[in-house]
Amino acid sequence: MFAKCGSTRDARKVFDRMPERDLRVWHSMINAYAANGEGSEGVVLFEKMRSEGLKPDKESVAVVLGACASVGAVEEGVRYFESMEDEYGTVPEVEHYVGVVDVLGKSGHLNEAVECVERMPFEPTTEVWEALRDLARIHGDLELEDRAEELLVSVDPSKASGDKMPLPPRKKYSEINMLEERNKVSEYRCIDIYGESYEQSKGLRGQMREAGYVPDTRYVLHDIDEEAKEQALQYHSERLAIAYGLISTPARQTLRIIKNLRICGDCHNAIKIMSKIVGRELIVRDNKRFHHFKNGKCSCGDYW
């Protein structure tokens, strides 16, 4: 419960007090660290698990690869992957190849990630091509992104129109954010563009530009001019939720935002700058992971 709320400190307190811990409990704690950008702690915990005599299984390797990927621990991740069969007696499966592709790709080693895919002893699945495509997109490798997209569609034609990020949400699946403040939950949708929260968002814009914010209009796919695209970015619901939280909660209080879609790159950059301007920790949970924004930085290291 604590881990799903982004509080690894409280989750660890409960973990340490448990009289007995099976592999599932260890995996949950390691996953919690990985999801919150504290993969180094997850790797340390994995080694502690081994030192206490528990033998890692295939799920153990998958979770520690996730921890390595979240902090760019390439050497450790590759070592765990390559030693699976000899040390743990488990043969790498699709989830492990996806894991090591993440480890390599999130640190910018895209060529090595491609080589890993090419060495797979079975045909790459949609999960593999999706992971490679997303990593290529993050690092701006358009050629690799298009190639992975093409191979993804060849494996699963239903993906042809599905995951070009970021797609404008369909009306019936509008973007939703939940703001947790003062034990109360408030909901924001991308169509709620007026009111106090929008005015507060506008008020922050000048300070953000002075701090170096430059709108990234690549994340607006509507056929409109640049000025309109910049304005459209201000309507994203996570910004409205944060703006409302700033005017309705005490100064310096942490804000927690729950988002039903993947956070776009422009909002990610904007919220980093917001956290520095307002001097608060802003925790955003999207459909991939937790993002802890504080002092102009994010726990994900800009890879998510």
Side-chain angles (χ1 to χ4, degrees):
M1 180 186 72
F2 286 122
K4 289 182 178 180
C5 293
S7 181
T8 54
R9 182 179 300 177
D10 290 326
R12 184 58 186 264
K13 287 179 181 177
V14 174
F15 176 86
D16 288 338
R17 291 171 184 168
M18 295 180 69
E20 295 183 6
R21 298 185 289 258
D22 59 15
L23 278 178
R24 186 175 58 178
V25 175
W26 288 89
H27 295 166
S28 296
M29 193 65 237
I30 295 169
N31 264 329
Y33 280 130
N36 285 276
E38 300 177 54
S40 296
E41 294 294 329
V43 173
V44 170
L45 192 63
F46 177 79
E47 291 299 336
K48 179 178 172 60
M49 180 186 80
R50 294 179 61 196
S51 69
E52 293 193 7
L54 278 79
K55 182 179 180 180
D57 61 10
K58 61 182 181 180
E59 179 64 20
S60 306
V61 180
V63 297
V64 78
L65 286 174
C68 291
S70 72
V71 290
V74 177
E75 291 185 11
E76 293 87 342
V78 172
R79 187 177 72 248
Y80 288 133
F81 176 76
E82 292 180 343
S83 63
M84 278 184 66
E85 204 162 351
D86 293 336
E87 289 194 35
Y88 313 132
T90 58
V91 178
E93 299 179 1
V94 171
E95 62 180 334
H96 303 109
Y97 279 96
V98 171
V100 78
V101 165
D102 265 344
V103 170
L104 293 166
K106 285 183 177 179
S107 296
H109 302 288
L110 293 177
N111 291 336
E112 289 88 338
V114 171
E115 291 173 4
C116 179
V117 173
E118 292 173 345
R119 292 197 303 267
M120 289 175 62
F122 42 78
E123 286 297 313
T125 62
T126 57
E127 293 84 0
V128 174
W129 293 127
E130 282 181 313
L132 194 59
R133 179 204 59 189
D134 292 346
L135 292 164
R137 181 176 296 149
I138 288 171
H139 291 287
D141 190 331
L142 299 180
E143 184 179 348
L144 179 57
E145 180 187 344
D146 290 342
R147 177 184 164 200
E149 179 85 14
E150 182 181 340
L151 291 167
L152 170 63
V153 173
S154 70
V155 175
D156 185 355
S158 69
K159 298 289 184 178
S161 60
D163 292 319
K164 269 291 183 186
M165 200 217 91
L167 284 173
R170 297 178 182 176
K171 189 172 183 180
K172 66 178 180 179
Y173 296 118
S174 59
E175 182 179 12
I176 300 174
N177 275 286
M178 308 295 287
L179 168 67
E180 298 180 21
E181 42 91 16
R182 294 182 180 175
N183 299 319
K184 180 177 69 176
V185 176
S186 301
E187 179 177 312
Y188 294 84
R189 294 176 181 265
C190 60
I191 55 175
D192 298 334
I193 61 174
Y194 301 107
E196 287 183 291
S197 55
Y198 180 63
E199 291 302 316
Q200 174 70 8
S201 179
K202 285 175 61 179
L204 279 172
R205 214 175 304 173
Q207 297 179 65
M208 290 170 61
R209 286 187 181 275
E210 289 178 5
Y213 168 67
V214 178
D216 190 344
T217 57
R218 293 178 302 168
Y219 293 92
V220 180
L221 300 185
H222 300 290
D223 187 15
I224 52 181
D225 61 39
E226 283 298 304
E227 184 178 352
K229 286 184 177 181
E230 290 185 16
Q231 187 175 14
L233 291 169
Q234 307 305 315
Y235 299 160
H236 286 192
S237 55
E238 56 265 51
R239 299 197 192 189
L240 300 180
I242 290 171
Y244 177 76
L246 294 176
I247 62 178
S248 61
T249 59
R252 305 292 175 178
Q253 179 173 314
T254 298
L255 298 181
R256 299 175 186 271
I257 312 295
I258 303 172
K259 181 176 170 61
N260 70 325
L261 300 176
R262 186 178 186 270
I263 188 172
C264 83
D266 181 75
C267 285
H268 192 270
N269 289 334
I271 298 172
K272 284 197 297 184
I273 294 173
M274 284 182 191
S275 70
K276 188 172 185 179
I277 291 173
V278 303
R280 298 199 194 199
E281 182 177 9
L282 308 174
I283 302 175
V284 179
R285 175 70 165 98
D286 67 5
N287 67 350
K288 291 288 185 181
R289 58 170 298 153
F290 281 95
H291 298 266
H292 295 253
F293 297 94
K294 191 173 183 180
N295 298 324
K297 297 180 181 180
C298 179
S299 60
C300 76
D302 294 339
Y303 301 124
W304 74 98

